[in-house]
Amino acid sequence: MGVLMEGLRPLFRYFELSGRSGRAEFWKFCAFVLMAETLAAFLDTGSNNKVPVITSIIVVVTTIPQWTATVRRLHDIGKSGWAMLWPIGIAAIGAVVAGMSQQVNEYGEKAQSPIGLIAILLILGSFGYGLYLLTKAGDEYENQYGDPDNHVPTAFAELIGMSVDSADRPSAAHRPASKAGGVDEAMAQIERLGQLREKGLLSDEEFATQKSAILARV
């Protein structure tokens, strides 16, 4: 249940370009989209429709949340969403160069050129760099885009006594903590986190991240 909710969370953050998304949230959503598109393609193949209606609906519905989730994934490693323009731009240049290298000569034969190899390297390199950015571990603590646990839905945050809006509160590193009762309060929050994890409302990764954030405030 927790895995399903985490993977579908980008659908509830449809137009949200602020904040952060961890690796688990991003890649689980990508996996769900891939499974949905595969199933849709199978259903469209068995239908008599000339236009792949189901596949088209899936693509339209998931394109925007995939884009916004990618921006938040980059925020998680401390980079702007514009950072993805570099691999996309380089791949586009590589594709153009590859197309030019495949032009035929006056005899109708494809021209042989080392530029084609360079184009392939550009495309593979840009793909590898983009994959590296999207699979890199997120910043452990708060960065300029917020706390690592600020993607938790408000309902979850209220249950464990945390605030989703980190911009209106000082960071955990600078937030004053009262020694008297601070430890007891932290233990109570961690206990509630454990209950949420047992119910499947939090994944193990979310539990560990939020537990670390709570202990950092003590």
Side-chain angles (χ1 to χ4, degrees):
M1 183 64 177
V3 174
L4 179 63
M5 293 183 65
E6 185 176 28
L8 296 179
R9 186 174 293 134
L11 290 176
F12 298 93
R13 307 177 69 187
Y14 210 88
F15 298 104
E16 186 179 335
L17 290 172
S18 61
R20 299 165 56 176
S21 288
R23 284 186 296 185
E25 176 183 326
F26 176 81
W27 287 108
K28 286 176 184 177
F29 179 63
C30 290
F32 283 136
V33 171
L34 178 61
M35 289 188 292
E37 290 178 346
T38 301
L39 178 60
F42 175 77
L43 295 176
D44 282 329
T45 302
S47 66
N48 296 324
N49 297 325
K50 295 182 179 181
V51 178
V53 178
I54 302 177
T55 301
S56 300
I57 293 175
I58 295 296
V59 171
V60 170
V61 170
T62 60
T63 295
I64 292 179
Q66 284 186 88
W67 173 54
T68 55
T70 300
V71 172
R72 295 193 305 270
R73 178 79 267 271
L74 293 172
H75 288 176
D76 195 45
I77 61 174
K79 291 186 177 294
S80 167
W82 296 104
M84 190 53 67
L85 289 181
W86 284 102
I88 293 176
I90 294 175
I93 294 174
V96 172
V97 174
M100 294 175 60
S101 67
Q102 294 299 311
Q103 292 180 350
V104 296
N105 58 24
E106 58 181 325
Y107 300 105
E109 298 177 352
K110 291 184 177 180
Q112 300 296 325
S113 171
I115 297 180
L117 177 60
I118 297 176
I120 295 176
L121 292 177
L122 285 175
I123 295 173
L124 292 179
S126 61
F127 177 80
Y129 179 66
L131 188 62
Y132 162 74
L133 291 178
L134 296 176
T135 56
K136 185 179 178 181
D139 294 338
E140 185 176 359
Y141 301 106
E142 181 187 23
N143 62 20
Q144 65 267 39
Y145 300 103
D147 293 321
D149 58 342
N150 65 355
H151 65 278
V152 179
T154 305
F156 289 175
E158 291 176 350
L159 284 174
I160 61 176
M162 298 174 64
S163 172
V164 177
D165 189 3
S166 60
D168 295 336
R169 300 178 59 183
S171 65
H174 300 89
R175 190 178 302 141
S178 173
K179 290 295 183 180
V183 175
D184 293 338
E185 181 182 355
M187 295 303 296
Q189 290 179 348
I190 293 174
E191 183 178 354
R192 287 194 291 271
L193 279 175
Q195 294 173 355
L196 291 175
R197 181 177 62 173
E198 292 176 359
K199 294 178 180 179
L201 298 178
L202 287 178
S203 66
D204 292 338
E205 181 179 346
E206 289 174 324
F207 173 80
T209 300
Q210 296 180 36
K211 178 182 177 181
S212 299
I214 293 172
L215 292 177
R217 295 198 298 266
V218 177

